[in-house]
């Protein structure tokens, strides 16, 4: 699988579960492309040969949770020491800045593949560091300011428990799952 695809699969499976149990409605956003050239090797088969991104995508996921808009970016790193901000694009920072301005829930989910750990970090923390000109966030800082996401069979990533604890200040999970 490509870089980031394991995290993406885990999030997609989790979101499918969350939708199935009516806990949240969150989807992966498709990347808008402009198809330029298509070949038809057979009458019933078409193959896109050339395409370009129409516009920069905003973030990976958005939806609604407990009556609030939710928007987040998911990233993976193999680094054991830090998550490099070169993996984040300026338009993603600006989009999340607007989400926060309009009182939405915005965050990053960052997986350190070397440690098998996935963290939720409020977008405001990453935006502040970005604005300060930092080039990365250390693994130690992620451990301190981020929230470790528990893994389970269903959902694979229990990130809405972290959302509850951070954004809704609840002691326990929303309660729709065990």
């Amino acid at each position: 699988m490509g870089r980031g695809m394991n995290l993406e699969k885990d999030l997609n499976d989790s979101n499918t579960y969350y939708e199935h149990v009516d806990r949240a409605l969150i989807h992966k956003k498709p990347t808008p492309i402009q198809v330029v050239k298509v070949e038809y090797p057979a009458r019933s088969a078409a193959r896109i040969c050339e395409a370009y991104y129409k516009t920069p995508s905003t973030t990976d996921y958005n939806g609604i949770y407990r009556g609030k808009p939710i928007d987040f970016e998911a990233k993976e790193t193999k680094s054991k020491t830090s998550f490099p901000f070169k993996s984040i694009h300026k338009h993603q920072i600006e989009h999340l800045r607007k989400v926060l301005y309009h009182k939405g829930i915005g965050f990053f989910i960052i997986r350190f593949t070397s440690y098998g750990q996935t963290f939720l970090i409020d977008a405001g923390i990453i935006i502040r560091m970005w604005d300060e000109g930092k080039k990365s966030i250390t693994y130690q800082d992620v451990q301190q300011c981020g929230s470790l996401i528990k893994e389970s069979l269903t959902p694979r990533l229990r990130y809405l428990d972290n959302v509850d604890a951070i954004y809704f200040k609840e002691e326990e999970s929303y309660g729709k799952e065990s």
Side-chain angles (χ1 to χ4, degrees):
M1 276 191 206
R3 191 165 177 219
M5 290 308 219
N6 290 329
L7 177 57
E8 183 177 306
K9 182 181 180 336
D10 287 348
L11 285 167
N12 291 343
D13 290 349
S14 298
N15 290 335
T16 297
Y17 174 80
Y18 286 142
E19 183 177 355
H20 178 75
V21 298
D22 284 329
R23 184 165 177 194
L25 184 61
I26 301 165
H27 293 285
K28 171 96 171 90
K29 287 194 250 180
T31 304
I33 62 166
Q34 173 69 48
V35 175
V36 177
K37 184 178 177 187
V38 180
E39 289 182 357
Y40 298 91
R43 186 174 173 100
S44 63
R47 187 170 68 99
I48 297 172
C49 300
E50 190 175 347
Y52 301 97
Y53 294 114
K54 276 180 158 177
T55 56
S57 182
T58 52
T59 52
D60 290 330
Y61 293 88
N62 71 350
I64 189 158
Y65 178 58
R66 299 182 67 179
K68 300 269 290 186
I70 190 168
D71 209 303
F72 64 94
E73 181 67 18
K75 300 286 187 186
E76 281 187 294
T77 183
K78 293 179 183 175
S79 172
K80 292 182 177 182
T81 58
S82 66
F83 170 73
F85 289 167
K86 67 182 179 184
S87 299
I88 303 171
H89 302 286
K90 184 177 180 182
H91 66 271
Q92 293 171 323
I93 291 289
E94 295 310 317
H95 176 76
L96 284 166
R97 192 185 310 271
K98 288 181 180 185
V99 167
L100 298 181
Y101 175 82
H102 290 287
K103 308 288 187 238
I105 297 170
F107 53 88
F108 286 83
I109 290 183
I110 299 174
R111 175 172 284 171
F112 282 83
T113 58
S114 296
Y115 299 114
Q117 293 179 323
T118 308
F119 295 87
L120 186 149
I121 303 171
D122 181 70
I125 293 167
I126 301 293
I127 291 168
R128 187 182 74 251
M129 295 175 93
W130 174 283
D131 290 346
E132 292 169 355
K134 298 203 184 229
K135 302 294 183 197
S136 65
I137 182 171
T138 67
Y139 174 68
Q140 288 79 16
D141 284 344
V142 169
Q143 288 178 300
Q144 288 178 355
C145 68
S147 177
L148 183 63
I149 297 172
K150 291 180 183 173
E151 296 184 9
S152 64
L153 189 57
T154 52
R156 179 76 181 111
L157 293 175
R158 301 177 67 95
Y159 74 92
L160 288 182
D161 293 347
N162 302 69
V163 170
D164 283 341
I166 295 167
Y167 301 98
F168 294 97
K169 307 291 185 211
E170 292 182 0
E171 303 261 333
E172 296 180 29
S173 167
Y174 188 62
K176 292 240 176 179
E177 68 208 42
S178 55

